[in-house]
Amino acid sequence: MAISLSVVLLLAIILVVLIRGGSIKAGPAIVAILFGFFLASTNIAPSVNRFLNSIADTINQISF
């Protein structure tokens, strides 16, 4: 839960920066948000969640 909340917050910050910077307009940003919202309610959502968790675990195991 903490990872998904952090990812949501990070993506929201990136989206705000892109909109304010003019890299992305409000229309495409709304479409991207709606796509993510509806994707979360499909059968593929658990697979996407497992994939992102495995990436987070892999990054977490890297020692510098």
Side-chain angles (χ1 to χ4, degrees), residues 42-55:
T42 64
N43 291 335
I44 197 170
S47 299
V48 172
N49 195 12
R50 280 192 303 271
F51 174 70
L52 292 175
N53 283 335
S54 68
I55 290 175

Side-chain angles (χ1 to χ4, degrees), residues 14-16 18-20 23-36:
I14 291 171
L15 186 61
V16 168
L18 288 174
I19 290 173
R20 292 193 56 134
S23 298
I24 187 171
K25 300 294 182 197
I30 291 172
V31 170
I33 291 169
L34 289 175
F35 175 73

Side-chain angles (χ1 to χ4, degrees), residues 3 6 13 15 26-28 34 37 42 46 48 52 55-56 61-64:
I3 291 177
S6 299
I13 291 169
L15 186 61
L34 289 175
F37 178 76
T42 64
V48 172
L52 292 175
I55 290 175
Q61 292 176 0
I62 297 174
S63 60
F64 294 99

